[in-house]
Amino acid sequence: MTSTSQPLIRAVNLVKYFPVRLGAYGEKKAIVHAVDNVSFEIQAGETLGLVGESGCGKSTTGFTFLQLHRPTSGKCYFKDIDLTALSENELRPFRRKIQIIFQDPYSTLNPRMTIGAALAEPILAHKLATKETVTERVVTLLKDVGLSEKALNRYPHEFSGGQRQRICIARALACEPEFIVCDEPISALDVSIQAQIINLMQDLQEKYNLTYLFIAHDLSVVKHICNRVGVMYLGRMAEMGTKEQIFAEPKHPYTRALLSAVPVPNPHIEKTRKRQVLAGDVPSAIEPPSGCHFHPRCPIAVDRCKTEAPEWRQMDDGRWVACHKA
């Protein structure tokens, strides 16, 4: 993919396979094709949304880029630096610049640590403040996410789900990052709280010039917060383009099926509109179909789709699609 400027984030032919054992006694070895030849780039200050059904490889893509999972093959670039070529010690300075917000805010916070200690730990580890000044920095972070300094000496169980996610956002900001992977950051929250967290993340992005990889399954949220959208299916990228392109005129049949499943907040329109319901279930990532992974469920598949994987190619309007008939 080409751009007018150097992207902040770039993944090139990213692959991540997990070896597993099957059978009652684990006698059979197999491979889970979690991420299979995925490429994308993100410009500084941009938000790229990554969507798809559960198990399609969205979160694994984010974890692999951050080197929480080492990739099976492919390259992950932060600016011009190839993260996959670095050792754990060499990665340490880059941990400051690339952070993550996990899906479940409660399980990612140490229940034995106060909020003040949890936020101070990464700041002190990267020597961004001294023991004398770290409290002031932590209080500033709490205020940035809408919490008061009274939270300093409290524990995670004393907060609601939305407040805990605010704390996790503050922890991600503690190291002054440039890029944050947001792994379904609102899916564990009440609907009434989700809008507050999304608006907070947008405000912080503007204030600190952050770049997001926003992983989600709620397309209405993705449409609200993201500049571009990538659609994944069974470890592969199906389509990627601006949110206007994806939502107004999707080219890939899987993208059209995803969008048709989004409810319309008008009962009269909802009754009359036709949905594109996919046949069958998602195939196993252990034995993905040959050719195009989507062909067993695709309503427009032809014989070529069964034997030949579609090329990840750029269309005339600038979007990227992996479909023979796009």
Side-chain angles (χ1 to χ4, degrees), residues 53 219 250 252-262 273 275-279 294 297 299:
E53 293 170 287
L219 292 174
H252 198 284
Y254 178 63
T255 308
R256 291 196 289 267
L258 281 183
L259 292 175
S260 73
V262 179
R273 76 188 186 105
R275 291 188 176 182
Q276 182 178 328
V277 181
L278 297 177
F294 186 58
R297 307 174 71 195

Short mmCIF file of all heavy atoms in Angstrom, two decimals, residues 53 219 250 252-262 273 275-279 294 297 299:
data_model
loop_
_atom_site.label_atom_id
_atom_site.label_comp_id
_atom_site.label_asym_id
_atom_site.label_seq_id
_atom_site.Cartn_x
_atom_site.Cartn_y
_atom_site.Cartn_z
N GLU A 53 -15.89 -11.22 12.42
CA GLU A 53 -16.51 -12.11 13.38
C GLU A 53 -15.51 -12.55 14.46
O GLU A 53 -14.30 -12.47 14.26
CB GLU A 53 -17.06 -13.35 12.66
CG GLU A 53 -18.22 -13.05 11.73
CD GLU A 53 -18.58 -14.25 10.87
OE1 GLU A 53 -17.82 -14.56 9.94
OE2 GLU A 53 -19.62 -14.87 11.13
N LEU A 219 -20.00 -2.23 14.51
CA LEU A 219 -19.72 -1.41 13.34
C LEU A 219 -20.17 0.04 13.51
O LEU A 219 -19.60 0.94 12.90
CB LEU A 219 -20.36 -2.03 12.11
CG LEU A 219 -19.75 -3.36 11.66
CD1 LEU A 219 -20.56 -3.97 10.52
CD2 LEU A 219 -18.31 -3.18 11.22
N PRO A 250 -19.63 -1.16 -0.05
CA PRO A 250 -18.69 -2.27 0.17
C PRO A 250 -18.53 -3.11 -1.10
O PRO A 250 -19.50 -3.37 -1.81
CB PRO A 250 -19.34 -3.07 1.29
CG PRO A 250 -20.80 -2.75 1.20
CD PRO A 250 -20.87 -1.33 0.71
N HIS A 252 -16.53 -6.23 -1.09
CA HIS A 252 -16.39 -7.66 -0.78
C HIS A 252 -17.73 -8.20 -0.26
O HIS A 252 -18.41 -7.55 0.54
CB HIS A 252 -15.30 -7.85 0.28
CG HIS A 252 -14.79 -9.25 0.36
ND1 HIS A 252 -15.50 -10.26 0.98
CD2 HIS A 252 -13.64 -9.81 -0.09
CE1 HIS A 252 -14.80 -11.39 0.90
NE2 HIS A 252 -13.67 -11.14 0.27
N PRO A 253 -18.15 -9.39 -0.69
CA PRO A 253 -19.43 -9.94 -0.22
C PRO A 253 -19.49 -10.14 1.29
O PRO A 253 -20.57 -10.05 1.88
CB PRO A 253 -19.55 -11.27 -0.98
CG PRO A 253 -18.17 -11.58 -1.46
CD PRO A 253 -17.50 -10.26 -1.68
N TYR A 254 -18.35 -10.41 1.92
CA TYR A 254 -18.36 -10.56 3.38
C TYR A 254 -18.62 -9.22 4.06
O TYR A 254 -19.35 -9.16 5.05
CB TYR A 254 -17.03 -11.15 3.85
CG TYR A 254 -16.94 -11.31 5.34
CD1 TYR A 254 -17.81 -12.15 6.03
CD2 TYR A 254 -16.00 -10.60 6.09
CE1 TYR A 254 -17.74 -12.30 7.40
CE2 TYR A 254 -15.92 -10.75 7.46
CZ TYR A 254 -16.79 -11.59 8.12
OH TYR A 254 -16.72 -11.72 9.48
N THR A 255 -18.03 -8.16 3.53
CA THR A 255 -18.28 -6.83 4.09
C THR A 255 -19.76 -6.48 3.97
O THR A 255 -20.36 -5.94 4.91
CB THR A 255 -17.44 -5.78 3.35
OG1 THR A 255 -16.07 -6.18 3.33
CG2 THR A 255 -17.54 -4.43 4.04
N ARG A 256 -20.35 -6.80 2.83
CA ARG A 256 -21.79 -6.52 2.64
C ARG A 256 -22.63 -7.30 3.64
O ARG A 256 -23.63 -6.79 4.16
CB ARG A 256 -22.20 -6.85 1.20
CG ARG A 256 -21.62 -5.90 0.17
CD ARG A 256 -22.35 -6.02 -1.17
NE ARG A 256 -22.03 -7.27 -1.85
CZ ARG A 256 -21.06 -7.41 -2.74
NH1 ARG A 256 -20.29 -6.38 -3.05
NH2 ARG A 256 -20.84 -8.57 -3.34
N ALA A 257 -22.24 -8.54 3.93
CA ALA A 257 -22.99 -9.35 4.88
C ALA A 257 -22.87 -8.78 6.30
O ALA A 257 -23.86 -8.75 7.05
CB ALA A 257 -22.49 -10.79 4.85
N LEU A 258 -21.68 -8.32 6.67
CA LEU A 258 -21.50 -7.71 7.99
C LEU A 258 -22.37 -6.47 8.14
O LEU A 258 -23.03 -6.28 9.17
CB LEU A 258 -20.03 -7.34 8.20
CG LEU A 258 -19.03 -8.43 8.58
CD1 LEU A 258 -17.65 -7.81 8.80
CD2 LEU A 258 -19.46 -9.16 9.85
N LEU A 259 -22.36 -5.62 7.13
CA LEU A 259 -23.13 -4.38 7.22
C LEU A 259 -24.63 -4.64 7.23
O LEU A 259 -25.39 -3.90 7.87
CB LEU A 259 -22.76 -3.46 6.05
CG LEU A 259 -21.33 -2.90 6.08
CD1 LEU A 259 -21.04 -2.11 4.82
CD2 LEU A 259 -21.12 -2.03 7.31
N SER A 260 -25.07 -5.68 6.54
CA SER A 260 -26.50 -5.97 6.51
C SER A 260 -27.00 -6.48 7.86
O SER A 260 -28.20 -6.46 8.13
CB SER A 260 -26.82 -7.00 5.43
OG SER A 260 -26.37 -8.29 5.79
N ALA A 261 -26.08 -6.95 8.71
CA ALA A 261 -26.46 -7.45 10.03
C ALA A 261 -26.61 -6.33 11.06
O ALA A 261 -27.10 -6.56 12.17
CB ALA A 261 -25.43 -8.46 10.53
N VAL A 262 -26.17 -5.12 10.72
CA VAL A 262 -26.27 -3.99 11.65
C VAL A 262 -27.71 -3.51 11.70
O VAL A 262 -28.28 -3.14 10.66
CB VAL A 262 -25.34 -2.84 11.21
CG1 VAL A 262 -25.46 -1.66 12.18
CG2 VAL A 262 -23.90 -3.32 11.14
N ARG A 273 -36.27 -3.84 5.07
CA ARG A 273 -34.97 -4.03 4.42
C ARG A 273 -34.60 -5.51 4.34
O ARG A 273 -34.99 -6.32 5.20
CB ARG A 273 -33.87 -3.25 5.14
CG ARG A 273 -33.38 -3.84 6.45
CD ARG A 273 -32.44 -2.87 7.13
NE ARG A 273 -31.84 -3.48 8.32
CZ ARG A 273 -30.59 -3.91 8.38
NH1 ARG A 273 -29.81 -3.82 7.31
NH2 ARG A 273 -30.11 -4.45 9.49
N ARG A 275 -31.84 -8.51 4.40
CA ARG A 275 -30.52 -8.83 4.93
C ARG A 275 -29.85 -9.92 4.10
O ARG A 275 -30.53 -10.78 3.53
CB ARG A 275 -30.64 -9.32 6.38
CG ARG A 275 -31.06 -8.23 7.35
CD ARG A 275 -30.97 -8.72 8.78
NE ARG A 275 -31.29 -7.67 9.74
CZ ARG A 275 -31.24 -7.84 11.06
NH1 ARG A 275 -30.89 -9.02 11.56
NH2 ARG A 275 -31.53 -6.85 11.86
N GLN A 276 -28.54 -9.85 4.06
CA GLN A 276 -27.76 -10.89 3.38
C GLN A 276 -27.28 -11.88 4.44
O GLN A 276 -26.33 -11.61 5.17
CB GLN A 276 -26.58 -10.27 2.65
CG GLN A 276 -25.74 -11.30 1.88
CD GLN A 276 -24.59 -10.65 1.13
OE1 GLN A 276 -24.70 -9.52 0.68
NE2 GLN A 276 -23.49 -11.36 1.00
N VAL A 277 -27.95 -12.99 4.54
CA VAL A 277 -27.62 -13.99 5.56
C VAL A 277 -26.67 -15.02 4.95
O VAL A 277 -26.96 -15.62 3.92
CB VAL A 277 -28.90 -14.70 6.07
CG1 VAL A 277 -28.54 -15.72 7.13
CG2 VAL A 277 -29.87 -13.67 6.63
N LEU A 278 -25.53 -15.21 5.61
CA LEU A 278 -24.53 -16.15 5.10
C LEU A 278 -24.91 -17.57 5.47
O LEU A 278 -25.40 -17.84 6.57
CB LEU A 278 -23.16 -15.81 5.70
CG LEU A 278 -22.58 -14.45 5.33
CD1 LEU A 278 -21.26 -14.23 6.04
CD2 LEU A 278 -22.39 -14.33 3.83
N ALA A 279 -24.69 -18.49 4.55
CA ALA A 279 -24.97 -19.90 4.80
C ALA A 279 -23.80 -20.54 5.54
O ALA A 279 -22.65 -20.14 5.38
CB ALA A 279 -25.20 -20.62 3.48
N PHE A 294 -13.30 -17.54 2.13
CA PHE A 294 -14.72 -17.21 2.27
C PHE A 294 -15.60 -17.98 1.29
O PHE A 294 -16.82 -17.96 1.39
CB PHE A 294 -14.90 -15.70 2.06
CG PHE A 294 -16.29 -15.20 2.31
CD1 PHE A 294 -16.92 -15.39 3.53
CD2 PHE A 294 -16.99 -14.53 1.31
CE1 PHE A 294 -18.20 -14.93 3.76
CE2 PHE A 294 -18.28 -14.07 1.52
CZ PHE A 294 -18.88 -14.26 2.76
N ARG A 297 -19.04 -19.95 1.97
CA ARG A 297 -20.21 -19.19 2.41
C ARG A 297 -20.57 -18.05 1.46
O ARG A 297 -21.54 -17.33 1.70
CB ARG A 297 -19.95 -18.61 3.81
CG ARG A 297 -19.51 -19.64 4.83
CD ARG A 297 -19.13 -18.99 6.14
NE ARG A 297 -20.27 -18.46 6.86
CZ ARG A 297 -20.18 -17.61 7.87
NH1 ARG A 297 -19.01 -17.16 8.28
NH2 ARG A 297 -21.27 -17.18 8.48
N PRO A 299 -21.99 -15.97 -1.58
CA PRO A 299 -23.11 -16.12 -2.52
C PRO A 299 -22.73 -15.92 -3.98
O PRO A 299 -23.52 -16.24 -4.87
CB PRO A 299 -24.09 -15.03 -2.06
CG PRO A 299 -23.22 -13.98 -1.42
CD PRO A 299 -22.09 -14.74 -0.77
#
